[in-house]
């Protein structure tokens, strides 16, 4: 009974491997796959600075003043200048519904300020307490993303694991089907694994409120890599 159970396990394992393999003529095509989880080390804070005024020039001046004030306060709270980016600066006409038609109601200005910093719970809470000041009247969002070094390392590690996975599957199939003299004929580095060469969720949002502070932690990001290798063999 034990021998039959062992044979059944080997049979099921082989069937599972064969689901990622194709045999045609003297060619064996294997799909190698890898999944890695990594916790982002960068935090991203997007801040919307908004102003309104009846006059275009006054609206523009107010936007510049409020933006510069915010940047000064950020730098006073340990945010380096190179981590602060201004994005999507715009001034538009404001319109409201009148009795019969849309009527202009002055101007509105907006600039998005983006911060990319190393994740640190205390620094993040300090910044969130700064941004909630009534005098600033700002809206913001917090997210987390992989750093450039993390992405580079993950791609390298996932590729190595996907290649090793393909090799292990090929060796198991060759041994089970008694295939001989396996030689690599072709490698498709960009083989899509569930839709993409490298699948990752670049930004993760997560927060939990406790009293007057936030406990905010990035969740691990799932990174996937697929690769296809074709072997020639003899029987």
């Amino acid at each position: 009974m034990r021998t039959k159970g062992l044979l059944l396990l080997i049979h099921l394992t082989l069937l599972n491997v064969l689901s990622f393999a194709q045999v045609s003529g003297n060619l064996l095509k294997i799909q190698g796959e890898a999944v890695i989880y990594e916790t982002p080390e960068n935090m991203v804070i997007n801040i919307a600075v908004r102003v309104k005024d009846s006059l275009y020039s006054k609206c523009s001046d107010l936007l510049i003043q409020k933006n510069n004030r915010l940047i000064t306060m950020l730098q006073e709270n340990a945010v380096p200048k190179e981590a602060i980016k201004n994005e999507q600066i715009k001034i538009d006409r404001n319109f409201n519904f009148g009795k019969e038609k849309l009527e202009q109601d002055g101007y509105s200005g907006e600039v998005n300020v983006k911060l990319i910093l190393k994740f640190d719970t205390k620094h993040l809470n300090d910044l969130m307490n700064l941004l909630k000041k009534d005098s600033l009247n700002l809206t913001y969002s917090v997210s987390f993303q992989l750093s450039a070094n993390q992405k580079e390392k993950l791609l390298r590690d996932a590729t190595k694991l996907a290649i090793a996975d393909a090799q292990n599957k090929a060796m198991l199939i060759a041994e089970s089907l008694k295939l001989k003299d396996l030689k690599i004929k072709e490698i498709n580095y960009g083989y899509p694994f569930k839709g993409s060469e490298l699948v990752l969720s670049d930004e993760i949002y997560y927060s939990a409120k406790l009293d007057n502070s936030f406990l905010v932690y990035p969740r691990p990001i799932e990174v996937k890599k697929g690769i296809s290798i074709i072997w020639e063999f003899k029987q």
Side-chain angles (χ1 to χ4, degrees), residues 110-208:
E110 180 177 343
V111 57
N112 291 329
V113 179
K114 185 174 185 177
L115 313 178
I116 301 179
L117 303 161
K118 290 291 184 183
F119 172 65
D120 177 85
T121 304
K122 183 181 182 306
H123 194 193
L124 177 57
N125 272 291
D126 289 344
L127 291 174
M128 293 170 76
N129 287 326
L130 168 69
L131 295 174
K132 73 180 183 182
K133 288 185 177 180
D134 292 337
S135 59
L136 288 174
N137 192 24
L138 300 168
T139 59
Y140 65 90
S141 66
V142 179
S143 63
F144 303 93
Q145 69 176 204
L146 299 171
S147 66
N149 289 337
Q150 281 184 302
K151 290 180 182 179
E152 181 181 352
K153 183 178 184 300
L154 284 170
L155 178 57
R156 183 172 61 250
D157 292 347
T159 300
K160 289 180 180 178
L161 289 174
I163 292 173
D165 181 56
Q167 289 175 325
N168 291 335
K169 290 173 180 175
M171 294 305 102
L172 177 58
I173 293 173
E175 181 180 350
S176 302
L177 300 181
K178 303 194 184 314
L179 308 180
K180 300 177 181 179
D181 299 331
L182 264 69
K183 296 180 180 179
I184 294 178
K185 177 179 175 64
E186 182 179 324
I187 298 177
N188 294 316
Y189 178 76
Y191 172 78
F193 177 21
K194 295 184 180 179
S196 178
E197 176 190 350
L198 180 63
V199 182
L200 59 83
S201 176
D202 196 44
E203 293 189 352
I204 296 294
Y205 298 78
Y206 181 74
S207 65

Side-chain angles (χ1 to χ4, degrees), residues 20-47:
F20 297 95
Q22 294 179 352
V23 179
S24 177
N26 67 330
L27 297 179
L28 172 64
K29 182 178 180 180
I30 300 290
Q31 300 171 10
E33 300 177 351
V35 179
I36 303 178
Y37 294 88
E38 180 73 9
T39 301
E41 62 183 17
N42 282 349
M43 58 183 184
V44 181
I45 304 175
N46 287 291
I47 308 165

